[in-house]
Amino acid sequence: MGRLIRHLVSGMILLGSTGMCSAGGNEEGLIQQANRQSEAGNLEQAQSLLMQAIEVAPDSTLAYSRLGGIQLLRQEYAPSIDNFQKAIMLDSENADAFIGLSIAYLHMGRYSLAREALHEASRLEPTKKSEINDVLAWLNQREGAGGH
């Protein structure tokens, strides 16, 4: 299961999503630098760059999504939830933010909220339906085995 979650997070953080950044500004350059730092394993530097991108472009749903993803990798679940929610408030069609939100909820044991976020991500991003269904199946099994 851990490998599947890492795959979803990596796809969310590292795959470019044109159209999710606000136009203009240099937040795109900061986000690209953050991606390189993340790929190199420099999560603290990546987080710092993403915070700068948000200062430059507070309406960048991509910057908030990526920051939430970095925070997930750093096991900072509560702050990641805040940033995924900000990304969703800016763009309610941001499937990656719903995926990240669900993973943070899973780590915090908030399974019903995780399930809701996964269902929304599946609706928004049918190409990830298989991976999402695998996580839902794991969640169903966990809940059936005495989970909450």
Side-chain angles (χ1 to χ4, degrees):
M1 175 51 49
R3 191 185 68 147
L4 179 60
I5 290 174
R6 278 193 304 276
H7 171 72
L8 286 172
V9 172
S10 295
M12 177 185 64
I13 294 171
L14 300 176
L15 293 178
S17 299
T18 58
M20 291 181 70
C21 284
S22 62
N26 76 2
E27 82 275 8
E28 291 177 20
L30 290 166
I31 291 170
Q32 289 173 357
Q33 289 177 43
N35 288 345
R36 287 191 294 275
Q37 292 299 318
S38 174
E39 289 171 353
N42 301 323
L43 299 181
E44 188 173 335
Q45 182 63 28
Q47 185 168 336
S48 176
L49 288 162
L50 290 166
M51 292 166 94
Q52 290 175 44
I54 290 168
E55 286 179 23
V56 169
D59 61 341
S60 175
T61 185
L62 182 59
Y64 280 110
S65 292
R66 301 280 170 92
L67 178 57
I70 293 298
Q71 290 168 322
L72 269 181
L73 293 172
R74 296 186 71 192
Q75 299 179 357
E76 299 171 354
Y77 304 122
S80 73
I81 288 171
D82 291 340
N83 284 306
F84 289 128
Q85 288 174 336
K86 288 175 185 173
I88 292 166
M89 286 191 312
L90 291 166
D91 178 8
S92 63
E93 302 290 308
N94 185 338
D96 289 337
F98 279 103
I99 290 170
L101 186 62
S102 72
I103 294 168
Y105 283 143
L106 281 172
H107 282 287
M108 294 182 77
R110 299 172 76 183
Y111 300 132
S112 62
L113 292 172
R115 181 183 308 285
E116 290 175 28
L118 285 168
H119 283 297
E120 187 63 18
S122 181
R123 182 188 71 77
L124 294 170
E125 189 61 57
T127 62
K128 295 180 182 175
K129 193 172 189 89
S130 176
E131 292 96 341
I132 291 169
N133 285 339
D134 289 344
V135 176
L136 286 169
W138 174 86
L139 184 54
N140 289 339
Q141 183 179 22
R142 180 168 176 89
E143 286 181 322
H148 298 93

